């Protein structure tokens, strides 16, 4: 994601329009209780959706939530539909996912194209991939299909593989002018690995397996994936010193991207190596649990999680559920963690003027005073994933999936082909001007807020 240092001028405007209801109560063994609880939380999540309002953009959530998190949030809405059999938001999901594809149908819409990073693109791609695997209603024939969109995201990302520095890897940013262009981070590379694994299993095409192996090996070579007592996933490496200094933050979503990727690969290939890695990554994931309750260890205890980071537990919960579906040996550990965390999350959803706003810290007694899109997403995902083993696992093209794709998606005739190598000095200068203009308008906005 793009590192604008905007202080989060959070607005309560669209929130709390409902009358006060009691805290979310959850009896995990009752489907009706889970329905009642998750419908309140999903409603609270969609309170942040502004795309249906006059003059607002379809697919986007309110400020200060970045475009990438919108892609993450639509993935949560998709999970809500699938696990809870509630299609209330399906039309909005379809409209959002199709409005934001961009001209090349690869989730680089023009409005985002100056600031978008590989990880940002990936979270929309993952939502499209999930729609294919869940056999969600296919888009109209004149629109790009779920599988096509996922392949286009994968292909355009894979084209940016940068063998010129550090022996490979994806840079965080797509464009040279964004800060982070010199950083090769685990969420970008992990997402490429993860998408490759899922496309391999869905399509049966072994090119994707080769890619997955290549990305995993590179991440291991530069030690952002460890393989000693634990298999941890660290934040990333800078190209400045040939990727030798590892930034050792551990985020739940990175562990989850790699964990679930390995689970898909094991389920598809049956190879011991992916089985072994899945179990080791899972075991090592215990660093993110406190008495079996999930937390964002790198920032939550210090109270420093930013808006992006407060949504990470949502993706990790989603990937735990997928792993449990795909690798039976993980099920008892995962379901124990999910169930304990879901109960804890539900009791945290007792804040705000609506009485069921979710907090960040699930082992606090009640609501911790935090709120936001990320909090709603994380609570919703952990709760719906208690149903992971009650629903069919991800479908494939041969078994239940009906989405159509194309191995060349994203690289076809009209491809924008956003490989950084194709950026000329001229476009760099133009981008500098754009950045300056954006900078000025941010300052102007900030001043406006101050006065
Ligand atoms: C977790 O909760 C689900 C849903 O109620 C239930 O089916 C499952 O048996 C529980 N598993 C564990 C390990 O508690
Ligand atoms: C679910 O909500 C309905 C309607 O408010 C209520 O009648 C019912 O008792 C609730 N069920 C559970 C299990 O909480
Ligand atoms: C479906 O979701 C909507 C929105 O969250 C909610 O109002 C409705 O009660 C839910 N339906 C059921 C059966 O839970
Ligand atoms: C781009 O931004 C404009 C102006 O806000 C908006 O009207 C349009 O719908 C946006 N396009 C996309 C794909 O988000
Ligand atoms: C840079 O790092 C890569 C990946 O670890 C390695 O293959 C390559 O030999 C290194 N190059 C130099 C000059 O050290
Ligand atoms: C992880 O492995 C260690 C050593 O084998 C074991 O003691 C621990 O219980 C495992 N943890 C989980 C969550 O499986
Ligand atoms: C773990 O949870 C307990 C409360 O159950 C809390 O007191 C403790 O501070 C938590 N540990 C961390 C590392 O957050
Ligand atoms: C693969 O995943 C499916 C669920 O989608 C599961 O039923 C099956 O047992 C898994 N296969 C293996 C080899 O674990
Ligand atoms: C997937 O969707 C297609 C098209 O709607 C449908 O024909 C097919 O039965 C669905 N498959 C499953 C497993 O539901
Ligand atoms: C397999 O995937 C690769 C990489 O995306 C693609 O180039 C190739 O056309 C695909 N093969 C088939 C048979 O779809």
């Amino acid at each position: 994601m793009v590192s604008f240092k905007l202080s989060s001028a959070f607005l309560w405007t669209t929130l709390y329009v409902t009358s006060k209801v009691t805290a979310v109560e959850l009896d995990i063994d009752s489907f009706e209780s889970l329905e009642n609880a998750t419908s309140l939380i999903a409603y609270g999540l969609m309170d942040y959706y502004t795309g249906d309002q006059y003059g607002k953009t379809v697919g986007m959530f309110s400020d200060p939530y970045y475009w990438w998190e919108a892609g993450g949030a639509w993935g949560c809405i998709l999970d809500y539909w699938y696990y809870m059999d509630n299609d209330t938001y399906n039309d909005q999901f379809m409209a959002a996912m199709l409005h934001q594809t961009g001209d090349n149908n690869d989730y680089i819409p023009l409005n985002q194209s100056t600031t978008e990073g590989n990880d940002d693109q990936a979270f929309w791609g993952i939502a499209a991939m999930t729609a294919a695997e869940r056999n969600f209603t296919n888009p109209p024939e004149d629109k790009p299909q779920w599988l096509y969109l996922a392949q286009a995201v994968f292909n355009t990302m894979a084209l940016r593989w940068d063998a010129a520095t550090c022996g490979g890897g994806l840079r965080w940013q797509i464009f040279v002018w964004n800060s982070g262009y010199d950083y090769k981070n685990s969420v970008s590379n992990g997402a490429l690995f993860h998408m490759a694994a899922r496309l391999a299993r869905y399509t049966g095409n072994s090119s994707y397996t080769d890619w997955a192996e290549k990305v995993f090996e590179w991440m291991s070579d530069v030690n952002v994936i460890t393989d000693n007592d634990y298999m941890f996933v660290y934040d990333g490496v800078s190209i400045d010193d040939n990727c030798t200094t590892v930034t050792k933050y551990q985020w739940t979503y990175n562990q989850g991207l790699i964990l679930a990727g390995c689970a898909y690969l094991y389920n598809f290939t049956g190879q011991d190596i992916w089985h072994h890695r899945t179990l080791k990554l899972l075991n090592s994931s215990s660093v993110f649990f406190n008495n079996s309750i999930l937390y964002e260890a790198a920032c939550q205890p210090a109270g420093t999680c930013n808006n992006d980071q407060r949504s990470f537990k949502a993706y990790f919960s989603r990937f735990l559920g997928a792993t449990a579906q795909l690798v039976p040996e993980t099920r008892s550990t995962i379901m124990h963690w999910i169930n304990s965390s879901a109960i804890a999350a539900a009791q945290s959803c007792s804040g705000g003027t609506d009485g069921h706003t979710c907090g960040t810290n699930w082992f606090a007694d009640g609501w911790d005073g935090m709120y936001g899109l990320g909090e709603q997403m994380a609570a919703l995902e952990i709760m719906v994933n208690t149903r992971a083993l009650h629903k069919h696992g991800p479908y494939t093209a041969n078994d239940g999936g009906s989405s159509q794709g194309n191995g060349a998606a994203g690289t076809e005739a009209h491809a924008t082909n956003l490989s950084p190598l194709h950026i000329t000095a001229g476009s760099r200068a133009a981008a500098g001007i754009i950045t300056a203009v954006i900078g000025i308008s941010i300052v102007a906005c900030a001043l406006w807020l101050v006065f």
Side-chain angles (χ1 to χ4, degrees):
M1 45 240 65
V2 174
S3 52
F4 281 150
K5 298 284 187 294
L6 275 180
S7 65
S8 60
F10 193 86
L11 305 173
W12 287 71
T13 45
T14 57
L15 300 178
Y16 312 120
V17 286
T18 48
S19 58
K20 191 169 170 100
V21 186
T22 49
V24 168
E25 281 168 24
L26 178 61
D27 169 4
I28 201 153
D29 294 321
S30 152
F31 180 64
E32 189 182 281
S33 169
L34 194 64
E35 268 186 322
N36 286 3
T38 55
S39 78
L40 289 174
I41 295 168
Y43 188 91
L45 188 162
M46 289 297 284
D47 265 342
Y48 291 87
Y49 183 54
T50 52
D52 290 338
Q53 295 168 17
Y54 180 75
K56 300 286 186 176
T57 302
V58 172
M60 300 285 282
F61 285 73
S62 66
D63 284 340
Y65 301 107
Y66 292 136
W67 179 79
W68 86 273
E69 193 169 341
W74 289 117
C76 298
I77 290 299
L78 184 66
D79 284 349
Y80 177 56
W81 156 71
Y82 187 70
Y83 287 122
M84 300 311 300
D85 302 310
N86 186 320
D87 61 8
T88 303
Y89 302 118
N90 285 19
D91 290 347
Q92 282 155 303
F93 172 85
M94 175 79 83
M97 292 296 294
L98 295 181
H99 190 76
Q100 292 295 330
T101 59
D103 295 338
N104 195 43
N105 295 328
D106 58 1
Y107 289 111
I108 306 192
L110 201 57
N111 289 351
Q112 306 303 329
S113 58
T114 55
T115 56
E116 188 169 336
N118 278 301
D119 48 353
D120 306 325
Q121 187 188 14
F123 275 86
W124 285 84
I126 287 170
M129 186 73 229
T130 310
E133 290 171 342
R134 299 264 166 82
N135 201 37
F136 186 84
T137 311
N138 292 310
E141 274 174 27
D142 61 341
K143 299 284 184 190
Q145 304 297 304
W146 305 126
L147 178 61
Y148 184 99
L149 288 162
Q151 286 171 315
V153 168
F154 171 82
N155 285 339
T156 51
M157 286 175 71
L159 270 176
R160 298 182 202 115
W161 185 257
D162 172 35
T165 56
C166 309
L170 271 188
R171 291 164 183 260
W172 176 15
Q173 296 299 330
I174 300 175
F175 303 106
V176 289
W177 56 78
N178 284 317
S179 78
Y181 185 67
D182 56 358
Y183 193 57
K184 294 191 169 178
N185 63 351
S186 286
V187 64
S188 298
N189 287 283
L192 182 67
F193 166 77
H194 182 89
M195 294 282 290
R198 292 171 70 165
L199 285 167
R201 182 175 176 277
Y202 189 92
T203 64
N205 181 339
S206 62
S207 300
Y208 297 116
T209 326
D210 297 344
W211 261 104
E213 278 168 10
K214 173 163 134 173
V215 181
F216 193 98
E217 265 170 37
W218 179 81
M219 291 180 79
S220 302
D221 283 349
V222 298
N223 301 310
V224 292
I225 296 178
T226 66
D227 192 3
N228 36 50
D229 288 349
Y230 297 101
M231 193 167 270
F232 287 146
V233 185
Y234 292 126
D235 188 77
V237 277
S238 168
I239 64 168
D240 293 344
D241 58 358
N242 194 36
C243 298
T244 50
T245 311
V246 176
T247 305
K248 287 198 168 176
Y249 290 114
Q250 287 174 257
W251 304 109
T252 52
Y253 75 158
N254 284 334
Q255 191 85 12
L257 281 165
I258 305 293
L259 168 71
C262 291
Y264 273 95
L265 288 168
Y266 170 64
N267 192 274
F268 172 52
T269 65
Q271 288 170 2
D272 287 344
I273 183 78
W274 297 115
H275 194 244
H276 167 77
R277 285 168 177 165
T278 304
L279 297 182
K280 193 159 181 182
L281 284 156
L282 181 66
N283 182 294
S284 307
S285 299
S286 61
V287 294
F288 299 118
F289 291 86
N290 179 9
N291 296 320
S292 300
I293 298 171
L294 177 60
Y295 76 120
E296 195 61 54
C299 60
Q300 193 179 301
T304 56
C305 299
N306 65 23
N307 284 324
D308 292 332
Q309 292 155 359
R310 277 147 55 194
S311 73
F312 289 177
K313 290 190 299 238
Y315 320 114
F316 185 62
S317 303
R318 180 191 296 173
F319 297 145
L320 281 177
T323 302
Q325 290 180 329
L326 293 163
V327 183
E329 296 74 22
T330 65
R331 287 177 186 165
S332 58
T333 300
I334 290 181
M335 292 320 297
H336 173 67
W337 280 345
I338 289 181
N339 287 3
S340 310
S341 301
I343 293 166
Q347 66 86 42
S348 95
C349 298
S350 56
T353 55
D354 64 1
H356 51 255
T357 292
C358 302
T360 299
N361 180 356
W362 297 341
F363 38 79
D365 187 12
W367 186 49
D368 66 355
M370 304 290 286
Y371 56 88
L373 178 59
E375 279 81 355
Q376 297 302 125
M377 288 165 59
L380 184 63
E381 282 283 2
I382 197 74
M383 288 166 70
V384 301
N385 273 286
T386 58
R387 305 236 325 127
L389 300 182
H390 295 278
K391 297 295 278 190
H392 201 287
Y395 292 118
T396 67
N398 287 330
D399 167 28
S402 61
S403 189
Q404 297 297 308
N406 179 341
T411 63
E412 295 173 300
H414 299 294
T416 45
N417 195 0
L418 294 153
S419 165
L421 303 174
H422 297 163
I423 292 162
T424 62
S427 62
R428 237 177 262 191
I433 294 166
I434 294 169
T435 309
V437 171
I438 293 173
I440 290 164
S441 40
I442 288 171
V443 171
C445 282
L447 288 175
W448 182 81
L449 285 172
V450 168
F451 297 115

